[in-house]
Amino acid sequence: MDVVALTEDLVAIPSHRGPDSDESAAGAFVADWLREHTEAAVEHDHHGNVIARKGAGGQSLALVGHHDVVPPDESQVEDTGAYLFDRRDGRLYGRGTADMKGSLAAAMLTFATADPADGELVFASFAGEEQGGEGCRAAIEDGFETDYAVVVEGSTGYSAPGVTDVAVAHKGRRGSTIVADGEAAHASEVDAGENAIYRATDAVDVVRDLDFPTAEVLGHELQGSVAVTEIDGGSAWNVVPEHCDATVDERTVPGERAPLERVEDIAGVSWRVDQDLPPMACGDADFADAVLAAAAGAQDADPEHVVKPHATDAGWLAAAGTDCVVVGAAEPGEAHTATESVSLDVLERCRRIYDGVVTEWLG
């Protein structure tokens, strides 16, 4: 089967979390396909993850993706609930084509045909990536580990349009809430209360004055960011507010965090972390160079080592000790959109890249 046809099979399967749907059918398809087309040991665990292994001894290399997607736009779904897809103008359109069933299909085909001579090749398709990496985190807690991983999220179009690059790092995301409490009073007697909005805005001023964290990975600089993105407080126009929340979006970099806890120096203010998706940094230059060589051999352009602004499951794997890179077909701005699509040529290219990485790294 070719990579485009397999992508279409995957894309046709609804796999978003919702009242009447989840990714279980897509996971079952991946597991059944691997059992039919390989003699590898295939596990479809109770978390919804699909993990397959072949070869033994030496170092281990994983091809890692996920089979869940974000909810589709209504234009991407039939009345029956089935996902629509369409080939035209050299691209495949539909929910999940870019993020990331196309690259997942390429990884499945590479795994099926690979015959590692020196080491173990692992294939993993995780559930719940779009839910903060639920499946990947559960797998790690259950003992999943490999020495190296190619995470097949998008890396195309970073150094130049149409070029499939190799991401050696990406940012993480820490979402948090500044909580300001005060004391209510009638607005005609402001001194009788403590204004929670004033306390919250004092905390916002602290955030505005923070330096953005930076890090260097294999010669590439990452700069994080911190922004207050929402504020909510007050109960009526004539009441001094007793409570106010402010949401903070921080894009984290390896080894550094903005000192947001400083807001707690303000009376009545506390700080709560709601989500913390870790960044990723590849720590093995030889592995990063080997993957770059495979990427260069699979296309006429000159790919580069790049950094991604978005968190992926590579962050969880890196935190658990795996040296990761990210290589995939998706281009910036394609994922999660009503017009999501992927280049057919780049799907074929990713298949060649993954083949090349396995040959280079495991013989």
Side-chain angles (χ1 to χ4, degrees), residues 50-105:
V50 179
I51 299 170
R53 301 175 183 272
K54 60 168 57 175
Q59 57 196 359
S60 55
L61 169 68
L63 302 174
V64 176
H66 64 86
H67 48 270
D68 65 316
V69 299
V70 298
D73 183 78
E74 62 181 18
S75 66
Q76 297 170 318
V77 185
E78 295 181 356
D79 292 340
T80 62
Y83 285 6
L84 294 166
F85 59 87
D86 180 33
R87 286 194 208 189
R88 66 179 186 273
D89 303 323
R91 301 185 72 85
L92 181 64
Y93 288 80
R95 173 58 80 231
T97 51
D99 187 16
M100 49 133 44
K101 290 178 176 178
S103 295
L104 184 67

Side-chain angles (χ1 to χ4, degrees), residues 267-279:
V269 173
S270 60
W271 174 64
R272 179 185 75 234
V273 176
D274 304 305
Q275 182 190 63
D276 197 351
L277 306 179

Side-chain angles (χ1 to χ4, degrees), residues 247-280:
T247 301
V248 182
D249 182 290
E250 179 190 359
R251 300 300 157 146
T252 60
V253 299
E256 294 290 337
R257 297 295 177 92
L260 288 166
E261 63 277 2
R262 290 180 186 174
V263 299
E264 295 187 321
D265 292 340
I266 298 169
V269 173
S270 60
W271 174 64
R272 179 185 75 234
V273 176
D274 304 305
Q275 182 190 63
D276 197 351
L277 306 179
M280 180 274 288

Side-chain angles (χ1 to χ4, degrees), residues 171-334:
K171 298 177 187 178
R173 178 186 183 271
R174 184 168 63 170
S176 59
T177 302
I178 295 168
V179 179
D181 291 309
E183 183 178 348
H186 196 281
S188 65
E189 299 177 307
V190 294
D191 291 339
E194 291 289 349
N195 194 313
I197 289 178
Y198 291 172
R199 288 176 167 178
T201 54
D202 286 344
V204 169
D205 285 340
V206 171
V207 175
R208 292 180 64 182
D209 288 339
L210 294 177
D211 293 330
F212 292 169
T214 61
E216 185 174 297
V217 180
L218 300 182
H220 295 267
E221 183 173 307
L222 283 78
Q223 183 176 58
S225 61
V226 186
V228 175
T229 54
E230 296 176 305
I231 192 161
D232 180 28
S235 59
W237 64 271
N238 60 348
V239 177
V240 172
E242 64 179 351
H243 186 83
C244 184
D245 291 337
T247 301
V248 182
D249 182 290
E250 179 190 359
R251 300 300 157 146
T252 60
V253 299
E256 294 290 337
R257 297 295 177 92
L260 288 166
E261 63 277 2
R262 290 180 186 174
V263 299
E264 295 187 321
D265 292 340
I266 298 169
V269 173
S270 60
W271 174 64
R272 179 185 75 234
V273 176
D274 304 305
Q275 182 190 63
D276 197 351
L277 306 179
M280 180 274 288
C282 181
D284 190 319
D286 290 340
F287 177 59
D289 288 343
V291 179
L292 186 63
Q299 57 192 314
D300 293 333
D302 295 321
E304 299 179 8
H305 286 155
V306 297
V307 299
K308 281 176 65 71
H310 312 296
T312 75
D313 277 343
W316 301 111
L317 294 170
T322 298
D323 272 307
C324 299
V325 296
V326 175
V327 182
E331 301 151 279
E334 282 294 337

Side-chain angles (χ1 to χ4, degrees), residues 2-21:
D2 69 82
V3 67
V4 178
L6 182 55
T7 300
E8 290 177 336
D9 287 345
L10 287 166
V11 169
I13 304 170
S15 56
H16 66 278
R17 294 277 182 94
D20 301 311
S21 65

